[in-house]
Structure formats: structure tokens, C-alpha cells
Amino acid sequence: MGDDGVGKQQEAAKYEKKVMVLDFVTPTPLGNSWGLGGTCVNVGCIPKKLMHQAALLGQALQDSRKFGWQFTEEVKHNWMTMTESVQNYIGSLNWGYRVALREKKVTYENAYGEFVGPHTVKATNRRGVEKLYTAERFLIATGERPRYLGIPGDKEYCISSDDLFSLPYCPGKTLVVGASYVALECAGFLAGLGLDVTVMVRSILLRGFDQDIANKIGEYMEEHGINFIREFVPIKVEQIEEGTPGRLKVIAKSTKGNQIIEGEYNTVLLAIGRDSCTRKIGLDKVGVKINEKTGKIPVNDEEQTNVPYIYAVGDILQDKLELTPVAIQAGRLLVQRLYAGATRKCDYVNVPTTVFTPLEYGACGYSEETAVEKFGEENIEVYHSHFWPLEWTVPSRDNNKCYAKIICNIQDNERVIGFHVLGPNAGEVTQGFAAAIKCGLTKEQLDSTIGIHPVCAEIFTTLSVTKRSGENTLQAGC
């Protein structure tokens, strides 16, 4: 049960409904589990952003010398200090959720729930004690867990994001397997902490995201010392030496031929995707249909499954964005429709999000590829520019690596249908523009907006070069 499920239960309790939360974490192959709050709080957004911040602070220390800060002592990072601090904060959030549920008079059971019949679930706690509960309506918000490769040694010797943020030792030389945002974010902050990091990629980076931006992210990471092994997949992981960390041998095969390579690492982090937690919760007992290939649940535009009294939100939904705030919003609106007479439905298109790679990527709306597919290349105009944050000019680093792009629908008064920014504080920038996009922002309105000088976001008020023109987008001066 994640943020979305907890939030929905609290929302329902506001309307004086009798509400119960069933929450249970199946331990990882290495035995790790966590408290109330789901992936985001415990092994996702929260620890990821904090460790990303730790890496940014390392870069800030380097930059500071050019700004006049003098320090001669060796600067190094202590993994255990960081993880202990992060875990202490997460613990406070877990406790906060428990208190909030109690205050809202929501019954909380730390037990594994599964349907056993119409309107009936079985809850099994850690001691194996079973209880049956009945309810008028059910909300499934079980989320996803990291996928494993299904090769010799993967579950025995590899870790996932479910293990990384509480790892009781520095991971050392690390191989990150995967090209997802989870893979690139983790690789980014590990490298930012001074570790030797390699990313093994099967095909493209950040599938489902704007590929123009994805490739720029990869280039930036490579320029900053992260190694990429492209078009290879691991076929076996062997332990050379036990330890914290130990030593592992990874054997990988080319996706384009029969070439085999070997490499030695201290830690192997798998980030190759996530599987929906829907196959072992008794959905077949109540007739809820799932996509047999993906485990995802198809729902209508009101988050209702094919069984009328069962609803679902979050990462387990078919063809929906896998983002915590989306799930929270969908759950909240669902409860308001069910119990408060509201009619508003969740908007799954104009959703802002940020990938916290070393060069952060914020996006809202359509990627360039999706926009072309939906509206036709002749009906969209792409305005873009590189830019150089003022803060980076004094340390003289990464000139013209940041990038701004908007995608406009020519047939609809050049309405902005896609927003993309690659640069520092991308999430903060994107969140503000997302509200404008929800209000129907056009290119003309952007042009008539006065920029704040000197900040990164002002670039969006002066975009003039179209991609179609092929003109130079590199910036000079302030």
C-alpha cells in the first residue's frame, strides 16, 4: 500500500466511511523490507532525491573553490552517514503515516491481503494468522516491485533499488543494469558520490520519454565519467569473493551477435523494469481482468475495473503513468466521486514529472515522438534552445549542455502540448509551467511573459528557433 492507497483511505475516512488499510511488504531476495508508505517514501522518490542531493553537494563543493571558498582538507563521502540520515528521515515519515491513519480512525493491518470471494478478502500477518474481512468497495493500490533477470546468480548476488537506499556498506565499483529512469538516477548519484559506475544498456535510454532528451542525458553522463556498455545483457553473475562489498564477475552477451564479455564489480544493481503486484492477490477469485502479459489492470476513466465494486489506482493500471502524485490524485478524485458527489476525473496527459539524473530532466505533456504520431509532423512546431546556467559560468563547466524545448500544436493556436527542460532544478521549473499548460498555454502567451533575470526558466520566454529551421541553438552571453 503506497502513498496513493494511504491517501485514499484518509480521504474516504473524511466522509465518515469505515475504512481499513491492508499493507504488507514481501522481503527482497536479500531480506529487506520497510514500513508504511509504499515505494515512494521508503525505496523510491524520497531516498532517491536525498541521495541525488548528496551528489549535487559534491559538485557544489568543487564549484565553490572558484567562488572563493578555500579548504585544504581532503573531501570524501561517508556512505553510512548518508544512509543513516536518510533512513532516519524515512522512519519519521512511516510514523507520521501511522499517526495520520489513527487520527482519521482508519483501521491499519500489517497483513497481506488477497481476495477469496465476492466482497471478501483474507489478511495474513507475519505470523501466518489469517482473518477475513468484507467491504462494500475495494481499492487495489499494490504498486510494483523490481524485476529480476532470471539468470544464474541474479537473486543471490545482485541488488535492486529495494536494497540500495538502506545498503549497510558503500557499494564500491558498481554495474547498473538497465536504461530506465531508476537505472540512470541511481547511476548518476553513485557516480556523483565518487564511485566507479558502469551502466549496461540493452537498447535505448529512457524508453517512453522524449528520445532527443534521453540521448542528451546519456551524453552528459558519459562526459562526466559514467561508463556505458551498450547492446549487452548479463547472462550470469558469479561471486568471486564474499564481503561488504564483495567481488562479483558478470558475464554478458551482445544483443546483436554472439560476443561475450566479462567484467568484475563490487555491486550489481538491477534496474530493468518493475512488475505489477497483481498476480498473487486473488483477482481471479473475483473475476478482475488483468493483462496476462504485463499484470496490469485495465480500468475505465473512473478507475473502475470490470468488477464494479473493485477499483484500482497507481502503477498497476494499464496504459497509465507510473508516478506517485498521479496515483494520489486519482485516488483522491475517486473518493470524492464516490462519496461527495464530485465529477472530476484524473488527467493522465498533462502530468509533470522529473528524472533526477545528474542533469535533471523535467517534462510535461507529449514527447516529440508522441506528438508527431498523434498530430502529424506538419501540424507541430518545436521551439528549442541550449542554455548555460549563470551559476555554472564562474566554475566554467558544462557550457550549452542544458536544453529547453516546447512542442506546439499549429492547428490549435500554437498551444503548448509538450514541455521539456534539461538543467538544474528541472522539477521546480516544470511544476510552475505545468499549471500554465493545464490552463491552455500558447506560444504567444509564453512570448508575452516577462522573464526573471538571470534564471534558467526565463529561456522559455525567449524561444525563437524552430527545429524545422535547422538554425543554431547554442547560447552566448547572459
Side-chain angles (χ1 to χ4, degrees):
M1 177 71 70
D3 286 9
D4 45 321
V6 172
K8 194 263 189 181
Q9 309 308 331
Q10 292 183 48
E11 187 77 18
K14 280 197 329 192
Y15 302 106
E16 298 183 350
K17 297 296 174 183
K18 195 175 178 183
V19 180
M20 166 177 272
V21 173
L22 293 180
D23 174 68
F24 187 86
V25 178
T26 303
T28 72
L30 297 184
N32 289 316
S33 60
W34 45 88
L36 187 60
T39 295
C40 176
V41 168
N42 294 282
V43 289
C45 328
I46 297 297
K48 173 270 301 290
K49 177 80 184 296
L50 291 172
M51 292 190 179
H52 171 66
Q53 173 65 9
L56 292 181
L57 288 170
Q59 180 66 63
L61 280 170
Q62 293 178 41
D63 290 353
S64 70
R65 294 184 190 276
K66 285 292 180 100
F67 284 96
W69 288 97
Q70 297 176 352
F71 45 92
T72 54
E73 72 275 11
E74 182 188 2
V75 176
K76 57 183 181 180
H77 183 264
N78 186 302
W79 176 270
M80 289 309 299
T81 300
M82 177 185 70
T83 51
E84 184 180 339
S85 300
V86 168
Q87 290 304 315
N88 285 344
Y89 176 64
I90 290 171
S92 73
L93 295 178
N94 298 147
W95 175 249
Y97 278 123
R98 292 288 295 269
V99 171
L101 290 175
R102 191 181 304 131
E103 287 177 347
K104 295 285 196 316
K105 296 182 172 56
V106 174
T107 303
Y108 167 67
E109 283 268 8
N110 182 208
Y112 188 92
E114 53 188 316
F115 289 98
V116 291
H119 292 277
T120 307
V121 291
K122 178 177 72 176
T124 308
N125 69 15
R126 293 185 186 281
R127 297 185 302 278
V129 177
E130 298 177 356
K131 295 180 184 176
L132 293 179
Y133 296 100
T134 59
E136 179 189 8
R137 293 187 176 99
F138 293 85
L139 176 73
I140 306 168
T142 48
E144 299 180 307
R145 295 292 293 273
R147 185 177 303 145
Y148 284 78
L149 286 162
I151 62 170
D154 63 346
K155 290 187 177 178
E156 293 87 346
Y157 307 124
C158 300
I159 67 170
S160 73
S161 57
D162 282 357
D163 305 296
L164 178 64
F165 302 113
S166 58
L167 199 67
Y169 54 85
C170 179
K173 183 181 179 183
T174 302
L175 174 68
V176 178
V177 181
S180 64
Y181 72 87
V182 176
L184 299 189
E185 287 176 337
C186 292
F189 73 68
L190 289 173
L193 300 178
L195 302 183
D196 182 340
V197 178
T198 299
V199 181
M200 185 175 287
V201 179
R202 184 185 62 184
S203 53
I204 64 171
L205 300 179
L206 295 175
R207 187 179 302 278
F209 288 88
D210 190 282
Q211 284 302 292
D212 180 23
I213 304 282
N215 291 329
K216 292 182 191 303
I217 290 171
E219 289 165 14
Y220 184 90
M221 291 176 71
E222 283 190 277
E223 288 169 4
H224 284 256
I226 297 173
N227 307 304
F228 278 79
I229 300 174
R230 295 178 185 271
E231 298 180 336
F232 273 86
V233 292
I235 56 173
K236 189 176 186 181
V237 179
E238 298 175 349
Q239 187 179 66
I240 301 170
E241 181 184 319
E242 286 188 31
T244 52
R247 287 195 300 137
L248 301 171
K249 181 166 81 171
V250 177
I251 303 163
K253 184 176 185 295
S254 169
T255 59
K256 293 293 177 72
N258 295 319
Q259 184 185 358
I260 302 289
I261 60 171
E262 293 183 2
E264 191 177 303
Y265 305 91
N266 298 118
T267 298
V268 178
L269 170 64
L270 301 182
I272 57 170
R274 299 172 66 82
D275 291 324
S276 297
C277 300
T278 56
R279 298 186 191 275
K280 296 179 180 178
I281 57 173
L283 295 183
D284 54 323
K285 302 270 182 34
V286 285
V288 173
K289 291 177 182 172
I290 67 169
N291 181 316
E292 287 301 330
K293 183 179 179 184
T294 64
K296 299 275 191 178
I297 301 177
V299 294
N300 63 17
D301 63 357
E302 295 191 335
E303 287 74 45
Q304 189 176 41
T305 71
N306 63 298
V307 177
Y309 64 89
I310 299 176
Y311 299 81
V313 296
D315 294 2
I316 55 174
L317 297 191
Q318 183 170 288
D319 302 324
K320 297 288 190 289
L321 292 166
E322 299 177 9
L323 298 165
T324 297
V326 174
I328 293 171
Q329 175 87 318
R332 187 173 291 131
L333 293 176
L334 169 61
V335 172
Q336 290 169 2
R337 290 195 304 271
L338 290 175
Y339 302 122
T343 57
R344 191 155 65 96
K345 298 171 185 176
C346 188
D347 174 7
Y348 287 97
V349 176
N350 293 314
V351 175
T353 188
T354 297
V355 180
F356 290 98
T357 36
L359 194 57
E360 296 176 13
Y361 167 36
C364 183
Y366 292 99
S367 67
E368 193 174 336
E369 294 84 6
T370 309
V372 167
E373 189 181 310
K374 185 172 178 64
F375 300 99
E377 193 166 359
E378 70 284 0
N379 293 320
I380 67 164
E381 196 72 84
V382 177
Y383 295 88
H384 66 152
S385 179
H386 287 82
F387 62 95
W388 196 14
L390 182 67
E391 298 87 341
W392 295 4
T393 57
V394 169
S396 194
R397 66 175 173 92
D398 300 318
N399 189 1
N400 280 306
K401 296 299 179 186
C402 297
Y403 183 67
K405 173 166 79 172
I406 60 168
I407 303 157
C408 300
N409 182 355
I410 296 171
Q411 300 297 318
D412 187 18
N413 196 29
E414 281 207 311
R415 195 168 305 285
V416 178
I417 57 172
F419 175 95
H420 303 270
V421 60
L422 196 56
N425 305 304
E428 309 294 346
V429 172
T430 306
Q431 184 70 79
F433 281 103
I437 291 169
K438 285 280 286 183
C439 295
L441 179 69
T442 64
K443 178 64 167 66
E444 183 183 14
Q445 289 170 327
L446 257 186
D447 291 344
S448 67
T449 301
I450 296 173
I452 301 169
H453 190 65
V455 301
C456 294
E458 72 175 315
I459 190 73
F460 286 98
T461 67
T462 59
L463 291 174
S464 59
V465 177
T466 66
K467 220 175 194 187
R468 208 187 303 272
S469 74
E471 292 176 21
N472 183 28
T473 61
L474 300 180
Q475 294 284 302
C478 69

